[in-house]
Amino acid sequence: MLRVALHTLWARRGLLVGSFVALCLGVALLASTGQLLSASTSGSGLGGIGRYDAAAVVVRADQEVPVQVGDRTVHPTAREERGVDPEVADRLRTTPGVTDVVADGSFALGLISEDDADTPFRDLVGAPWSNAPLTPFTVVEGEEPVAPAQAVVSRSLADADGITVGSTLRISAPTGRQDVEVVGVAEPPGGTGIPGEATVLLDDATAASLVPDGQLPVALGVFSEEDPARLAETIRQEFADEGLRVLHGPAKGGVAQDEIYQQGTQDITALLAMMAVIALFVSTFVVAGTFGFAVSQRTGELSLLRALGATARQLRVMLVGEALILGVLASAVGVFLGAAAAGQVAALLVDAGAAPPGFHAPTAPGPLALAFVLGLLVALAGVVGASRRGSGISPTEPPRLGQLDDSRMTRGRWITTGVCAALSALIASTMPTAAADGVVVFSFLLAVFLVLTLVSLAPLFVPALAAIVVTPFASLSRSSGFLASRNLRTGMRRTASTTAPVIVTVALAGTVFGATSITSATTARDSERNLAADVIVHSTTATGLPPEAAEVARAAPEVVGLASVTRTRGWVPTATYARATTIGGVDPTAVRHTYRLDVTEGDPATLDGESVVVSQPVLDDTGWEHGQVVPVHFGDGRVRELRIAAVLRNSVDLPEILVTPELVAQHSRDPMTAELYLTLDRTPADDDPLTELNDALAPVGAVATPGARWLWEREVDNAQESRVFAFVLIGMAVLYTSIAIANTLLMSAGGRIPELALLRDSGATRAQLVRMMSWEAVGVVLTGALLGVLAAAVSWTGVYLALARTVDAAHLAIPWGDLGVVAGACLLVALPASLLPVALLGRGRAGAGP
Amino acid sequence: MEPEVTEDVPLWGSRLRKVYGKGENRVPALRGVTVSFPRASFTAVMGPSGSGKSTLLRCLAGLERPTEGEVVLAGTTISVLGEPDITRLRRDRVGFVFQSYNLLPALTVRQNVELPMRLAGRRPLRADVELVLDQVGLADRATARPAQLSGGQQQRVAVARALVSEPSVLFADEPTGALDTNSSRDVMALLRDAADRHSRTVVMVTHDPVSAAWADRVVFLSDGEVHGELVAPSAAAVAEQMTTLGG
Ligand SMILES: Nc1ncnc2c1ncn2[C@@H]1O[C@H](COP(=O)(O)OP(=O)(O)OP(=O)(O)O)[C@@H](O)[C@H]1O
Ligand SMILES: [Mg+2]
């Protein structure tokens, strides 16, 4: 039987090419995303000079923080890096073998400059000169910074920004603005600086004055003559169970490049994970479709085998055997293609700025093996339905030319329909209660199951629908339009099969584009309604605004009101998990002038160091109530018991949890103000340059923008970002489903040649045939687009309703333009594929018979 | 389940009714046909187009289930058998030759002939295959593909395929429908030989009185019912009978 399978497989290679290509590309997609994913979650391996290279051992605080949820404790990673207690440094100094201990006193700083030239650095780091031995930095030009307001810069920073000995640096730091004099240039051994990091080493007094009091060092560098591994072990034993991590060798960290790299790759990890899910869904779908179609095209052959004595089981074994052979071959080729493509995609992502420089995807055996296995499983899953149908073919004489291809609703189809419809309903019913950030994922899932429902129901109504859709065209051209409509109606299996990938493409595109455009339009409208500030001030440096920015703004004659927001992050415990949240420090009275707060309970003005203002979505998830004393977990892992002073219906642009700025400063590493909200004595026009205010703000590294324009610019930025994201996702899916569309059409091409020959012999002109096939393609794509929009519309409604729960101005922004582009792309693929049989007919029409 | 063994008839159809479709589209193809076929006999089934000849053959061969009535094939009542059992019985005891040759284009002549045995899980003996190919006069074309053969040659391969598993009953539905006189004669000789030399029961549907004259007996069908039979037919007698049926 296997030999028969092999033979027929080879003879039917034309039909199976479609399944092969679909599977091969699916596996390639999975393999390359898998490889990229594994690359994005591991280090760059670039190495380079690290900040702690000279220390034997580095001691850090454990970054896992306990959060009590229900009756168990979970341990998320700290969202503000936790520091080490100074007392640990003292005890380390007395540990045998330790010669010195240096506390890392570095902090993020901003450099204010007139020209905002691009800098090659992601991080601008300030540190006391006493930290120089950690790397070590040695002065190669000028002298060491010892007197107040002196600085030494790394050679790499000096070269990049044209800084020389004698220049003045204008520093913006958490505690304020400071001008320092550059007295020297320093280098670590074997380089011009720490790659990716611009280092400014200040005299110890100045450095200490720039960080808030009581901020703990993130690391302690331990110096010793001993073997680092042995020393680390000694320290680990001495400090067991004190929440410390004792590191040596490459694990010491402090390699700026690696940290930047990891941060950068985190961003694309989510994108890649979603791509992998889409790849899996779409490839399973397409492969199942092509297998099913290939089997339907072979009805004659299968029924002959049945007549010659093959049992249903034997046919099933044969079809599954074919799928396995095909699966192994296609998966193997796909894995190779994917592994090769991953490198190209990595380079593309770097070029597009989506991945950090140096991002590359080395061959990863794990993900590749997984992709291979998934490919086989997809092939098997795809053939299960087809083989059941194939083996059910009756052993009566095979159908001859002209027999109608009929495709009824089988029991399997009804079951699939039922299950998918039930799942859709289940998801739809949970959507209104889903957390806001879960809505997009839910709507996506909903669309997936709606598509599956529609596709499994397809034979029931799609051919008739396609025939109706094409009717208006039928009146344009009498005979070809009529024929196209009849063909769509009677070639049920073919019509249903070619429509399916169009439904998938349009529905996925509609869902992803729609969800992003609805959320961003809604956010923009909502901000517009709630923002009362006339002017927004934000930073021009890499960090936030120094305290002086608020002083300067307050001093400006036209400013009558001012509010600031400092931001940090943390968690709130729900019954089952630690829910991530944003925490903001605000002046409760000032913020009322710049934001129209929608207060549902209590009074935000009563906010003090012991209380908190919470927005409704947080209450929904935690079950908290107004007036209750609740545990708020800050990003550094510490918990505050705070009383709920007021409840806001939604947080608008503000963080979800509002406390006093002082409280945020205590728990944040970088407690600089993100934005200042100003009210003026007049309402500035959108294009008001605010010259006077900006002149005053420039020296402190700040810029003022009229509120409306600021919102608009931010909206454009956000929209741009999410559109790029959506296009990457959908572009891939569209590419893949286009292949499926072409596939089905090409697979049916062979079967259509005799029919077309017959039409030509009956007097149809070539142009009429071309028109007929074109109308068919149009009918299929339009029908698919219509149903795809239908599925997407349900998910739009879900997103809209979920948003409307917290926002008055939910706005149903439907991306018709983008959908048009996607449908157009489908048609562009479908047309030439439909016309192929006509072209083939022209070449070899003598051999018209089967 | 142990199939009920009736008497030792190779093939017997009793009160066979077959209705296609439902409601409006109801087509009664057979309206109670009772017919039996003795061992080593060659029977031709004739009748106007649409009279139910192919349907009768498919029902007798176990390729299709009659709506009512019983078929006894090789001593077994097949209406009580499940689908896999019918398939097994068919591949052991039945050969079928279709009007259009229905060879698998992917396989060579020999592979096509071997196919039923492979499907039955038996290893075809090379000598057996050579023997039937020799019988149909195609021993030298064993490695050819169907597409490289003429229509008559392809039909002879189909006959070889039907004969190779040594069936007790051999069905042929218009085996000469697409063949010229010479090729038709070759195929008829093969069927005659199967009955005479190998004691097989041969049932053939045909429209051609000359072919029908090769048979021992002709059964006439009209509108799904038996309308008489002719024993030891001559081409002229068959043609005359056909005219009265309006075929
Ligand atoms: N699968 C089917 N579904 C519905 N009706 C059928 C089917 N097969 C045959 N019929 C109908 O049953 C009747 C008998 O058909 P059958 O094929 O047995 O005729 P026939 O005598 O072999 O004709 P011909 O000489 O033209 O081959 C016809 O009216 C035909 O339309
Ligand atoms: Mg017939």
Side-chain angles (χ1 to χ4, degrees):
Chain A
M1 204 63 205
L2 193 67
R3 231 175 84 187
V4 179
L6 269 174
H7 274 291
T8 53
L9 197 62
W10 181 244
R12 288 299 184 159
R13 58 192 182 276
L15 263 187
L16 294 174
V17 140
S19 313
F20 183 89
V21 171
L23 189 55
C24 184
L25 281 176
V27 170
L29 223 55
L30 276 174
S32 63
T33 39
Q35 189 160 318
L36 286 166
L37 257 178
S38 102
S40 77
T41 49
S42 61
S44 69
L46 293 176
I49 297 163
R51 188 194 314 226
Y52 310 118
D53 278 4
V57 168
V58 167
V59 176
R60 288 174 180 269
D62 225 335
Q63 297 300 320
E64 291 187 346
V65 302
V67 177
Q68 182 80 29
V69 296
D71 47 8
R72 69 198 173 96
T73 308
V74 294
H75 295 272
T77 304
R79 304 181 76 185
E80 292 280 1
E81 193 168 6
R82 309 175 77 192
V84 191
D85 200 314
E87 181 255 354
V88 173
D90 295 339
R91 278 168 60 200
L92 275 174
R93 284 198 183 87
T94 62
T95 304
V98 172
T99 54
D100 196 10
V101 176
V102 176
D104 181 354
S106 63
F107 55 94
L109 56 71
L111 282 185
I112 303 165
S113 64
E114 260 76 75
D115 55 329
D116 25 66
D118 271 349
T119 139
F121 309 109
R122 288 277 189 103
D123 281 0
L124 234 63
V125 173
W129 177 245
S130 59
N131 277 182
L134 280 173
T135 312
F137 272 106
T138 44
V139 170
V140 291
E141 192 186 325
E143 52 195 47
E144 299 183 355
V146 284
Q150 286 191 339
V152 157
V153 295
S154 64
R155 166 70 66 203
S156 53
L157 174 59
D159 288 352
D161 282 13
I163 298 169
T164 52
V165 173
S167 322
T168 300
L169 292 184
R170 307 164 71 195
I171 289 173
S172 150
T175 57
R177 272 262 303 109
Q178 171 104 35
D179 285 348
V180 295
E181 190 202 348
V182 177
V183 295
V185 174
E187 277 180 7
T192 57
I194 297 170
E197 177 183 301
T199 319
V200 180
L201 293 155
L202 301 145
D203 66 274
D204 287 8
T206 307
S209 75
L210 291 177
V211 290
D213 287 341
Q215 191 162 89
L216 303 177
V218 290
L220 301 174
V222 181
F223 289 79
S224 169
E225 303 298 321
E226 265 187 53
D227 172 42
R230 271 233 309 283
L231 179 65
E233 201 41 53
T234 315
I235 297 175
R236 259 180 224 124
Q237 268 160 26
E238 194 178 327
F239 289 88
D241 302 325
E242 290 191 36
L244 294 179
R245 289 196 305 191
V246 184
L247 312 160
H248 66 92
K252 276 186 301 197
V255 180
Q257 192 125 335
D258 254 2
E259 281 163 14
I260 296 163
Y261 176 88
Q262 263 157 25
Q263 220 166 39
T265 53
Q266 269 166 18
D267 302 341
I268 54 166
T269 302
L271 174 75
L272 290 171
M274 200 145 162
M275 262 170 92
V277 171
I278 294 191
L280 194 63
F281 168 66
V282 175
S283 58
T284 311
F285 185 87
V286 168
V287 169
T290 46
F291 269 132
F293 193 73
V295 165
S296 78
Q297 294 290 92
R298 293 167 59 182
T299 313
E301 176 187 320
L302 295 176
S303 91
L304 174 62
L305 282 170
R306 287 284 278 130
L308 291 178
T311 59
R313 223 182 84 87
Q314 278 177 313
L315 286 198
R316 209 153 45 223
V317 168
M318 182 183 98
L319 289 171
V320 171
E322 281 180 10
L324 270 181
I325 298 169
L326 195 83
V328 168
L329 291 178
S331 299
V333 176
V335 162
F336 275 107
L337 284 180
Q344 308 293 320
V345 176
L348 260 174
L349 286 171
V350 172
D351 279 350
F359 179 65
H360 63 136
T363 307
L368 293 186
L370 186 66
F372 182 84
V373 172
L374 281 176
L376 274 189
L377 290 180
V378 165
L380 281 181
V383 85
V384 164
S387 77
R388 281 203 21 217
R389 225 171 313 125
S391 63
I393 285 171
S394 77
T396 50
E397 200 167 346
R400 300 172 197 140
L401 169 66
Q403 208 149 17
L404 297 183
D405 124 42
D406 88 325
S407 161
R408 264 161 277 131
M409 286 295 292
T410 57
R411 208 172 53 170
R413 270 187 184 272
W414 279 118
I415 292 173
T416 316
T417 307
V419 170
C420 291
L423 282 172
S424 313
L426 186 75
I427 298 168
S429 69
T430 56
M431 273 227 334
T433 60
D437 48 350
V439 163
V440 175
V441 176
F442 270 84
S443 68
F444 183 76
L445 275 179
L446 179 59
V448 164
F449 283 107
L450 282 174
V451 165
L452 290 176
T453 311
L454 283 176
V455 167
S456 52
L457 268 179
L460 208 59
F461 68 100
V462 163
L465 184 63
I468 293 169
V469 165
V470 93
T471 309
F473 301 101
S475 56
L476 285 178
S477 59
R478 258 170 295 143
S479 60
S480 56
F482 166 76
L483 281 172
S485 159
R486 293 308 303 159
N487 287 343
L488 287 170
R489 185 93 185 73
T490 51
M492 287 168 77
R493 172 108 216 150
R494 189 175 60 229
T495 306
S497 298
T498 40
T499 313
V502 183
I503 302 181
V504 177
T505 311
V506 174
L508 287 189
T511 302
V512 173
F513 285 135
T516 50
S517 88
I518 292 170
T519 27
S520 68
T522 300
T523 323
R525 293 217 165 182
D526 202 45
S527 307
E528 220 173 290
R529 281 162 53 107
N530 292 291
L531 187 72
D534 297 315
V535 168
I536 313 289
V537 176
H538 59 97
S539 168
T540 56
T541 69
T543 53
L545 294 164
E548 285 85 349
E551 286 162 28
V552 170
R554 199 169 277 127
E558 49 188 343
V559 175
V560 295
L562 177 146
S564 65
V565 180
T566 49
R567 290 167 194 264
T568 181
R569 305 179 297 172
W571 302 271
V572 291
T574 71
T576 50
Y577 68 108
R579 178 192 187 281
T581 186
T582 48
I583 303 175
V586 295
D587 174 344
T589 41
V591 84
R592 301 210 75 160
H593 295 294
T594 51
Y595 266 110
R596 296 188 190 95
L597 298 181
D598 191 349
V599 181
T600 53
E601 275 177 296
D603 180 5
T606 64
L607 183 69
D608 57 20
E610 301 295 309
S611 58
V612 64
V613 174
V614 181
S615 65
Q616 190 59 43
V618 175
L619 296 200
D620 290 346
D621 288 349
T622 54
W624 292 347
E625 277 167 25
H626 173 230
Q628 203 179 338
V629 175
V630 296
V632 175
H633 293 252
F634 283 80
D636 61 358
R638 286 184 286 168
V639 196
R640 293 280 180 151
E641 297 284 336
L642 301 170
R643 189 181 45 79
I644 299 182
V647 176
L648 304 182
R649 180 147 169 263
N650 63 67
S651 61
V652 200
D653 270 347
L654 294 169
E656 290 183 313
I657 290 185
L658 302 177
V659 295
T660 57
E662 294 73 29
L663 207 51
V664 169
Q666 288 170 31
H667 296 280
S668 167
R669 278 235 148 243
D670 180 17
M672 290 175 84
T673 305
E675 288 113 22
L676 288 174
Y677 301 84
L678 309 183
T679 11
L680 303 191
D681 52 6
R682 63 192 166 90
T683 305
D686 279 1
D687 55 355
D688 192 326
L690 303 165
T691 319
E692 226 170 291
L693 191 57
N694 271 321
D695 284 350
L697 285 169
V700 294
V703 64
T705 318
R709 195 170 90 216
W710 179 77
L711 280 179
W712 180 74
E713 281 169 4
R714 197 185 52 167
E715 153 74 357
V716 167
D717 268 7
N718 282 350
Q720 203 59 35
E721 210 166 286
S722 52
R723 267 171 64 88
V724 167
F725 188 86
F727 262 108
V728 170
L729 280 180
I730 291 311
M732 186 202 69
V734 168
L735 184 80
Y736 198 60
T737 42
S738 318
I739 291 165
I741 298 169
N743 237 341
T744 333
L745 286 169
L746 293 181
M747 284 196 298
S748 58
R752 300 211 63 175
I753 290 177
E755 176 193 329
L756 291 174
L758 193 69
L759 274 171
R760 241 196 56 181
D761 292 348
S762 327
T765 64
R766 201 178 165 73
Q768 277 175 320
L769 295 187
V770 166
R771 272 205 300 276
M772 177 186 92
M773 296 302 272
S774 305
W775 293 139
E776 280 186 39
V778 169
V780 160
V781 171
L782 273 184
T783 308
L786 214 67
L787 293 172
V789 166
L790 188 74
V794 176
S795 75
W796 294 334
T797 315
V799 174
Y800 179 83
L801 290 179
L803 287 173
R805 199 160 48 101
T806 55
V807 169
D808 283 329
H811 180 54
L812 200 58
I814 293 165
W816 292 118
D818 294 336
L819 284 179
V821 170
V822 170
C826 292
L827 189 61
L828 222 60
V829 174
L831 268 180
S834 301
L835 293 177
L836 185 81
V838 183
L840 288 178
L841 181 68
R843 272 202 287 124
R845 54 173 302 247
Chain B
M1 184 207 283
E2 194 56 35
E4 182 191 343
V5 177
T6 346
E7 42 193 301
D8 186 29
V9 266
L11 185 63
W12 179 48
S14 160
R15 297 185 304 281
L16 293 175
R17 300 176 65 81
K18 177 76 191 179
V19 181
Y20 288 111
K22 289 195 179 102
E24 293 268 302
N25 304 319
R26 247 175 82 96
V27 180
L30 294 178
R31 310 161 180 259
V33 172
T34 300
V35 60
S36 93
F37 304 86
R39 174 179 307 280
S41 69
F42 180 3
T43 308
V45 178
M46 298 195 74
S49 184
S51 56
K53 304 181 293 294
S54 299
T55 307
L56 175 64
L57 230 63
R58 288 203 297 267
C59 287
L60 290 171
L63 286 169
E64 213 165 292
R65 275 183 195 277
T67 314
E68 264 175 52
E70 274 181 5
V71 172
V72 176
L73 180 61
T76 312
T77 306
I78 62 175
S79 47
V80 300
L81 296 183
E83 185 53 39
D85 286 328
I86 294 184
T87 302
R88 232 163 278 137
L89 179 72
R90 206 171 59 230
R91 71 185 176 202
D92 288 342
R93 313 303 286 272
V94 174
F96 211 109
V97 180
F98 301 98
Q99 172 178 5
S100 43
Y101 328 112
N102 284 303
L103 303 177
L104 285 180
L107 307 182
T108 63
V109 165
R110 173 179 295 118
Q111 286 167 339
N112 261 294
V113 171
E114 288 172 350
L115 189 58
M117 307 197 68
R118 288 195 183 281
L119 288 173
R122 278 182 276 150
R123 175 159 275 288
L125 285 178
R126 205 177 169 89
D128 290 351
V129 176
E130 301 277 284
L131 194 72
V132 289
L133 280 178
D134 197 42
Q135 264 175 34
V136 301
L138 286 171
D140 53 337
R141 304 304 304 272
T143 55
R145 299 260 163 183
Q148 298 163 331
L149 300 181
S150 75
Q153 286 170 326
Q154 288 187 42
Q155 193 59 295
R156 279 187 276 150
V157 176
V159 173
R161 181 177 64 190
L163 289 176
V164 75
S165 49
E166 314 235 293
S168 49
V169 186
L170 181 63
F171 293 98
D173 193 350
E174 299 188 42
T176 58
L179 302 184
D180 66 8
T181 328
N182 281 338
S183 303
S184 296
R185 200 167 47 228
D186 291 346
V187 173
M188 282 307 116
L190 283 170
L191 296 184
R192 187 71 255 172
D193 210 39
D196 293 348
R197 294 239 310 257
H198 303 277
S199 305
R200 307 195 208 286
T201 305
V202 181
V203 185
M204 168 187 79
V205 168
T206 184
H207 283 284
D208 173 21
V210 178
S211 295
W214 285 77
D216 302 318
R217 171 178 72 138
V218 181
V219 174
F220 293 95
L221 274 192
S222 173
D223 259 347
E225 285 175 64
V226 177
H227 272 254
E229 61 176 67
L230 219 83
V231 180
S234 69
V238 171
E240 195 195 312
Q241 178 80 13
M242 283 297 287
T243 356
T244 65
L245 287 175

